[in-house]
Amino acid sequence: MDQWLENKQFPYHFVSACGLVRKDGLILLIRNPIRGWELPGGTAEQGEIITEALKREVFEESGILCEPEHLTGIYQNLIVKDGYGLLEGMQYGSRSWMK
């Protein structure tokens, strides 16, 4: 069983947080050099509470301290290795951006 697990390619799972920061009718946007203007956010660290991840990401990207008021949803990014999808053997497009 251990050898089977060592050779098996599992998907990588990441949990991300993104927030809408408003003050005096203004909305905070972060300029990403690749994606352009976007809401602040990023990936939670191992064991980090999602609201704490959001506060940390907003501060890291803008220097602004915030306190989340509402949770609008929970989303996940699932990156799979080539050849392994939800069904083993399912082929996905090129993932050269993952390397």
Side-chain angles (χ1 to χ4, degrees):
M1 180 69 151
D2 289 338
Q3 185 178 11
W4 179 84
L5 286 173
E6 289 175 5
N7 294 326
K8 191 72 175 163
Q9 294 182 1
F10 292 103
Y12 295 102
H13 182 89
F14 299 95
V15 176
S16 299
C18 178
L20 176 67
V21 180
R22 295 181 303 164
K23 184 175 181 181
D24 300 329
L26 300 174
I27 295 175
L28 175 65
L29 294 175
I30 305 299
R31 187 171 185 183
N32 180 292
I34 297 171
R35 294 182 301 272
W37 293 101
E38 61 187 9
L39 297 172
T43 305
E45 295 175 358
Q46 183 71 28
E48 188 174 32
I49 297 168
I50 192 102
T51 52
E52 294 302 314
L54 175 60
K55 289 165 42 173
R56 177 184 53 74
E57 286 290 342
V58 169
F59 182 74
E60 286 177 0
E61 295 179 359
S62 69
I64 294 174
L65 295 173
C66 69
E67 191 62 40
E69 293 180 6
H70 306 286
L71 178 65
T72 60
I74 298 175
Y75 308 92
Q76 67 182 11
N77 297 327
L78 183 61
I79 299 174
V80 296
K81 292 185 177 182
D82 285 339
Y84 293 88
L86 299 177
L87 301 173
E88 187 172 326
M90 181 183 291
Q91 294 292 322
Y92 286 87
S94 171
R95 299 274 191 226
S96 60
W97 55 270
M98 289 174 35
K99 297 175 183 167

